[in-house]
Each structure stands twice: as C-alpha cells, then as structure tokens.
C-alpha cells in the first residue's frame, strides 16, 4: 500500500483541512493550489466545520479491491456548509433512510485496511447530523 | 493543415475472449483494418488503451502490438485517457496526418479486461476517477455515475424507468451487429425490474466489461481514393477536459468538457447539431447518454431523457444514437470503445450498416468520454 | 499508603464519550451457544461498526471533550496548541506496534509538539492515563493533557465474555483548575500481581480464570482501593452523591458498591453496562461521563476502576460547574442511538469471516 501517499493527505482526511483563497475568500476542498473561482494562487489552510448536506448518494454492491469487506456501503456527494462538495461514504445510517438534502456531519472512520498485515487508512465519512 | 480521411476499418467481436490476449486482439483489429485499406504498412501506430497496466500487467503496449503485428521499427505509442483512450489515439493520428508528419497512421483501441476478477476490474476502472478523493473513499465508476443519475432524477423529476429507452434502443440495434456482445432485445419491464448495482444504476443502465479491439487507418484525403472507393473524411477532431473529480465540477449536471469538446468540433466542421445524421455517444451508463445529448446540443438541459422517451434516438428518429448497439449492447472494452464508435460511424457513412443503416447518412458524430466527463474527444465524420 | 493529591489543583476541563450505534442482545448469543438457556450478564452490548476501532472511537470522544472544553475564554485553536499529552488506554489498540495516540492527536489537531502514548493495563488502562495526566498537568509539564479510555473488547465466541465484551469509552481533558468543570480532589492506585485475566501476544481473544476473577481480583482490589481513598480523605460513602465502579456485568458493580456502603441511587446514574456491555478500559470512564452530564455544582463523585492483572484506581471528584455541551453528544443520547443486530451481522462486524 502507498504509505507515503496516505500520510501526506492525513490532514485532509482526518480533519477536512482545505484552503481559503486569500483573494476571493472562497473556501476550497479538496485543497488545490489554484483557486477554482478566481484562478489565483490559494494556499492558506482552512479547517472545515464538517457540516453539510447530502447532494446525491448511491449504495454500491460491487466494491473495488480493498473495500470488499465493507460492501454494501453508501457513498455520497456532500455539499459542505462552506460551499465545496466532497465525495465520501456515509456511515451509521441505513441506506433506506438516506435522502437528498439530509444534514450530515463529518466523522473519522476506517476507510480501508491493507489485509491483516498492512496499514489501516483512516479518513472522513459523514453521518446523519 | 491537410485534410484527413479514414481509408480502412477493422474490429474484433466484443466479448469474453478467454483464448485471446491483449496483443492478439490489437493485432486482429489492425490486420483487418490494413486489409480493408489494402495497405501493408503504416508510418505510425497509435494504440489507445486504458487499463493494460492494471488488468494485464503490461505497459509499453504500442511497441508490443507493433512487434506482434510484424511492424517492428515503426513509430508506435500507447495513449491513455481512461474510457476516451481509443478516440484519443485517433486524435493523435489525426494530428500526425493533418500536420503532414505521417501519411498513413493506424489508430487501434484495445482492451483486455476479463482476465481479472470483478473487484480488480472495479479498482482499475476507478483509476479513471480522482485517486486521492474518490477512489480512496471507495467509490467506483458505477457509483460515481449513480451519483449523477440520482441527482438528475431529483432535479428533473424523472423515474428510473424513464431511462429504459437508452438500453432498449441499444439492445435492439445490437441484434444486427455481428460484432456485438449482447445481441438480444430487452424490454422496458426487464429494465425496470433489474437489481441495482449501485442504485439507481442497474445492470441495464451499465455497459458490460468486455474484451475487444477496433482500428481505423488514416490517410491524407488527397491520397484516400487510391485505397478505397468510399473514404470517410474527418471533418473535426476535438478534445476538451473538465475536472476529474465530480465534486470539483462547476455544475454537477452539466458535462462542460463534453460541451466544449462538441462546440470545438462543430466550429471546426462548420456545422450545427441539426446537421448531424447520427451520433455515436458515450453510453457507458444511461445517465451519460442523457448528459452527453444535452452537452452536445441535441437536447436542452434536463431534456436528454425526454428525447429518448419520445423515440428520437432510434433509427429513423431525429438523432439516432448507438446505432450498432453502443457500449451498452455492443459491449464496452473501455479503452477500445472510442474506436468502435468511429468504426461504426464509418460503416454508417459507407452504407455498410445493413439493417441498421441510417438513411442518407452524410454526417456522423462520435463522442468518447474518459472518466465521468473529464476527457472528452469528439469527432465529426463525413461521407465524401 | 500512597494517596495522590496534586500539589497544584487540577481538574477536568472537558469530557466526551462515544458508543457505537450497533447492539447485540444477550439472547442472540445465548440462543446460538446454549439454546437460550444461559443467564444474561447484561441485556445487550454495543458493537463497533465495520469502519470503527479504538482509534476512531477515541477521536470522536476526544472531539466531544474538546467541544466541552472550548468556550468564551478558550478557542479550539488555542486549546489544540496547548495539549501537552494525548494518551489512550485500551486493550484493543488496532496496531500491536504503532501508536493509537498519534492518530488521535493528529485528528484533534494537537500535533506535533505533544506527548503521545498508548497505555495498557487491561480494563484500567484509561484511568491510569487519567491519573498520569493529573500529575503531568499539576507538575506544570503540560497545560492540558488528554486521557482516553476506550475499547472494542474481544470475547471468544461462546465464552461468557461474549455476552458482555462491548465497545465505547471516554476522553478527558485534564487542565488547570481555573478552566475546570470538575475538580480532582485526590486519587489512589492499588495493584498486586493477580492473574485473573490476560491475553498473550498474537492471540485474538483473552483468557480468564473463571470465578477467580471475582473475589480475589475484582472485589478485593476495588474494595481496597476505594476504602483506602475514602480513609485518606476522611470521607465516607454518604459524603458522595455518586459512585461509579468498573462494570464487567450488571451484578458486580452494584454488589461491590453495596459492600462499600453505597446505595443503588448513588450508583445508577453511572451504570451503563446493561445497555452497552463492558467497555473494558472505557467502562467506569464512560460511566462518569453519564454522571457529569447531569451532576450539579458542588456534588461529589467517587470513581473506581479495575484492571485485571490486577489493579484499581480510585478518584474523588467534585463538580464545579455545569458544562456547555457546544454540540457534544451526551452519553445517554449515544446509548439511546441504537440499531439491534443479529449474531450473523455481529460476526461480520467483528471480522470473523476471512475474505482475503
């Protein structure tokens, strides 16, 4: 498993650390170096509140390699209250109860593990708020 | 810039080729196209392929297919643009011929998918999405398209069953295509009752994983008549991109990359959507068909499904799509599909589409999409 | 006798708990292994979801503690930089080698200039971290210290422990008395070498010595520890409004409390074991959070843990003010948030099926 790759995105995954554009004050997640709104450089860290609502969702049955033990699971586009959209799993909820517009909040959960010997990857998911 | 034409086409049957390898599939399509063009050798070979690394543990596929095809020494490159790889290979060939760097170029799309188990296939396909922010969260291509479809239904008030015409039409057209994977009809009832893969997407919204290869031979139009009676002219070849991650889109239900790609193509060809006689669009999922019709200007926003419900996408309709079965029923060997679209459009323009012939087809458009709208290659072809 | 009174007064600045959503009723276990003939030591127990472990549960509890610690005088950013220790006590750390505490510290924004360590002492790993945090803060070595007791407890299929081995726990932010919700008046630790329960390296499930876990272990240590603390502080059971004991089952804590001279009324607010099972290193620590959610200023609380192997820590606490929850979930609300699962779902969540 790509240990360094997970390590360098720890802040994003554990705490929803994105950026705030110093020029247009737009909030950015996932972080990127160029503000998508005003195309200027944006590198000021910004911690998101983790509050948002479900914009769209789906429960998938055929999981990709590494995620088999969690299937079926519900994934969603979550519109954060600060504006940006984030792609994540929903947790602690029955698929039949998920609705577009449902308020959710960020929690930190296990995203996957690399077998019994490999590392555990933790990151954000969202649950009903 | 030189005018470019297609002087030969070739394809393998799309399906589960348990007894054929990546290199064999690529070679068979190439050999068929060379034979069709009555050509022994090309100046360059561009191979579109999306997943050879993840699914065949093989890279350097350009050289590999060149070697296997007996073209050792030739300029050969693999180009990868996820599900748009094949059309991207054609784009590269177009640049080479139009720019006067090469006269004869073979553009091959090839994909060997069935050697791997479904979970490996899913993770390979998910490499077309945003690795750090989509695939790392456990999303798959199917579920990303399901997010689009759910939101589309929510905003425009469609039901799942409203998407049936895309699949029903594709299957009806595949019956007459000897190269298609699923040559059987499906009914709207079967569509509505299918079990979800990632709700609201079911098996019948989704194109099947498959093996296959397709190829076209490009040449300067000025030389085309020496090789074929029915050359097909490339009026436009255009590429545009959008964000890889769905969460980064300006507007989730607008495929901006597809719109920009189509607009560039229309401008290059000097034509409008109303001039197009058939449209081989990217029907990897029914929702992609709807969004692609809207982005390319064949339907207003939110009306792509209406167009299908009104029968306008069928043969004889206002804008026939997936005329030989599309990805849904012909099958979707990811990085090869874009050249199946081109090959089928050429069949239509040559008048070789048999029972599925679009009457008096003169202008055909193809649009091949990589990822959920990130890389979009649009081509407009014309019967000379 | 070594009574521990901090030289500089310290207190609980923030607290938070966590209980997973899923519950396995005792009947499910009894039905499978005894055709329904076993007596149930607890009504049901909490079970961590497929994406939960001691790391994720500790993060949520710690975030709740941070929410209650922040207010007009203390912002989250200010607090993060002053947390001098993040200590997690558990007997189910996800890694045998690789700290739980660094992941938790990173997630709550306390890194990089902080102490981080995982503690291990069976079911009292959390209270020993708590006790050490008192010293760390009182000595001036840290302004604040986060002490967490959390477990996703293991019980061998069919064993008596399978009925009770639950999941959950609590986090406490220890800090200077001027920021505190609760004053820590004194504490004490009592340990002997008593092998009543253990898990060897590389084993999935703990072993226990049957009835030997009772009198010489649980009762002997808790009685000695609690009595010694009350004696040192010249307090008697009636001086306390609440008492919280380690809760391996529904019977033991009430019995030991009764023998010490506490009433059911003093013990019930902190009793959660019937609803969530034995949360091991989290057990009395989460019981205390339920008490703090309702306690009034001026009220006094006795907390006594028990850890096999064996030892018992006792604490005397006095409530200074009611907390502002700032969005932190109350413990009884976590308990009420429940989805009942069956034994098949339980075995899947526990990872008993080998998929790859």
């Amino acid at each position: 498993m790509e240990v360094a790759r997970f390590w360098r995105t720890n802040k994003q995954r554990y705490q929803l650390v994105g950026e705030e554009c110093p020029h247009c004050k737009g909030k950015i997640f996932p972080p990127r170096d160029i503000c998508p709104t005003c195309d200027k450089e944006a590198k000021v860290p910004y911690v998101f509140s983790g509050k948002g609502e479900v914009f769209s969702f789906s429960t998938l049955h055929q999981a990709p390699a590494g995620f088999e033990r969690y299937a079926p699971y519900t994934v969603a586009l979550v519109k954060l209250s600060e504006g940006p959209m984030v792609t994540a799993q929903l947790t602690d909820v029955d698929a039949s109860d998920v609705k577009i517009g449902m308020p959710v909040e960020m929690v930190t959960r296990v995203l996957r593990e690399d077998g019994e010997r490999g590392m555990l990857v933790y990151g954000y998911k969202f649950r009903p708020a | 810039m030189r005018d470019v034409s297609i002087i030969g086409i070739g394809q393998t049957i799309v399906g589960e080729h348990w007894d054929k390898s990546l290199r064999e599939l690529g070679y068979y399509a190439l050999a068929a196209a060379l034979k069709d063009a009555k050509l022994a050798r090309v100046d360059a070979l561009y191979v579109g392929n999306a997943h050879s690394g993840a699914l065949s543990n093989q890279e350097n596929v350009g050289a590999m297919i060149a070697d296997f095809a007996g073209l050792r020494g030739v300029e050969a490159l693999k180009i990868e643009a996820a599900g748009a790889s094949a059309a991207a290979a054609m784009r590269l060939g177009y640049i080479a011929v139009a720019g006067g760097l090469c006269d004869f170029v073979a553009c091959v799309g090839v994909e060997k998918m069935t050697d791997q188990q479904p979970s490996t296939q899913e993770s390979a396909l998910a490499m077309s999405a945003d690795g750090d922010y989509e695939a790392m969260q456990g999303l798959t291509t199917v579920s990303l398209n399901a997010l689009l479809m759910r939101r589309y239904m929510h905003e425009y008030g469609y039901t799942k069953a409203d998407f049936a015409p895309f699949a029903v039409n594709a299957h009806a057209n595949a019956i007459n295509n000897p190269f298609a994977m699923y040559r059987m009809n499906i009914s709207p009832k079967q569509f509505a009752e299918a079990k979800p893969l990632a709700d609201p997407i079911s098996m019948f919204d989704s194109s099947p994983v498959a093996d296959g290869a397709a190829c076209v031979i490009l040449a300067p139009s000025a030389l085309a008549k020496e090789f074929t009676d029915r050359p097909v002219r490339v009026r436009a070849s255009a590429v545009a991109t959008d964000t890889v991650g769905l969460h980064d889109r300006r507007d989730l239900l607008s495929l901006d990359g597809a719109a920009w790609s189509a607009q560039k193509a229309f401008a290059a060809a000097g034509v409008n959507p109303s001039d197009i006689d058939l449209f081989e669009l990217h029907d990897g999922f029914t929702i992609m068909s709807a969004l692609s019709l809207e982005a390319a200007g064949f339907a207003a926003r939110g009306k792509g499904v209406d167009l299908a419900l009104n029968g306008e996408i069928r043969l004889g309709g206002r804008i026939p799509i997936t005329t030989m079965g599309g990805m849904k029923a012909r099958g979707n060997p990811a990085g090869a599909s874009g050249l199946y679209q081109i090959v089928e459009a050429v069949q239509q323009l040559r008048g070789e589409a048999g029972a599925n012939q679009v009457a008096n087809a003169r202008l055909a458009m193809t649009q091949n999409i990589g990822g959920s709208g990130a890389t979009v290659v649009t081509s407009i072809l014309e019967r000379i | 006798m070594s009574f521990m009174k901090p030289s500089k007064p310290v207190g609980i600045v923030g607290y938070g708990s966590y209980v997973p959503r899923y519950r396995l009723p005792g009947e499910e276990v009894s039905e499978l292994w005894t055709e329904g003939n076993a007596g149930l030591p607890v009504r049901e127990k909490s079970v961590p979801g497929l994406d939960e472990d001691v790391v994720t549960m500790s993060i949520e509890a710690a975030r709740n503690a941070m929410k209650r610690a922040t207010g007009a005088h203390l912002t989250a950013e200010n607090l993060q930089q002053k947390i001098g220790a993040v200590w997690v006590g558990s007997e189910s750390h996800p890694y045998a080698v690789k700290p739980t505490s660094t992941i938790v510290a990173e997630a709550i924004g306390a890194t990089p200039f902080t102490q981080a360590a995982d503690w291990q002492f069976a079911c009292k790993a959390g209270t020993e971290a708590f006790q050490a945090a008192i010293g760390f803060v009182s000595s001036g070595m840290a302004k604040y210290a986060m002490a967490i007791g959390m477990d996703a407890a293991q019980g061998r299929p069919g064993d008596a422990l399978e009925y009770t081995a639950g999941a959950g726990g609590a986090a406490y932010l220890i800090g200077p008395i001027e920021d505190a919700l609760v004053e820590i008046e004194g504490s004490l630790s009592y340990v002997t070498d008593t092998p009543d329960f253990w898990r060897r390296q590389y084993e999935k499930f703990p072993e226990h010595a049957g009835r030997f876990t009772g009198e010489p272990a649980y009762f002997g240590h808790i009685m000695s520890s609690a009595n010694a603390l009350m004696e040192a502080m010249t307090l008697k059971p009636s001086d306390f409004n609440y008492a919280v004991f380690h809760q391996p089952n529904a019977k033991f804590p009430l019995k030991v409390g009764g023998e010490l001279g506490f009433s059911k009324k003093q013990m019930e607010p902190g009793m959660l074991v019937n609803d969530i099972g034995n949360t091991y290193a989290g057990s009395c620590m989460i019981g205390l959070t339920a008490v703090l959610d309702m306690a009034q200023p001026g009220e006094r609380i006795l907390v006594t843990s028990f850890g096999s192997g064996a030892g018992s820590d006792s604490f005397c606490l006095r409530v200074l003010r009611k907390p502002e929850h700032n969005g932190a979930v109350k413990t009884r609300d976590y308990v009420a948030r429940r989805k009942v699962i069956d034994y098949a779902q339980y075995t899947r969540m526990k990872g008993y099926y080998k998929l790859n």
Side-chain angles (χ1 to χ4, degrees), chain A residues 5-6 12-13 30 32 55-65 67-68 73 77 85 87 89 100 111 124, chain B residues 118-119 122-123 131-140 143 146-147 150-151 154 196-199 247-248 252:
Chain A
R5 179 184 189 166
F6 293 116
Q12 286 99 292
R13 278 183 295 107
R32 44 171 66 222
F55 190 77
S56 192
F57 66 96
S58 173
T59 300
L60 67 93
H61 301 269
Q62 176 67 56
F67 292 88
E68 295 95 333
Y73 52 86
L77 280 166
M85 200 87 82
T87 306
Q89 287 186 31
I100 287 178
L111 292 184
Y124 50 77
Chain B
S119 63
E122 290 290 355
S123 24
D132 283 344
Y133 298 101
E134 290 179 328
M136 198 183 276
Q137 302 294 326
L139 276 90
T140 56
S143 53
L147 294 175
R150 169 97 58 197
R151 187 70 200 182
H154 175 80
L197 298 172
D199 64 318
H247 48 262
D248 287 326
L252 186 70

Side-chain angles (χ1 to χ4, degrees), chain B residues 2 43-44 46 75 92-105 220:
Chain B
R2 299 195 292 182
D43 301 320
Y46 298 130
E75 170 179 335
L92 206 59
Y94 177 82
I95 290 170
V97 177
L101 298 170
C102 300
D103 281 339
F104 302 100
V105 174

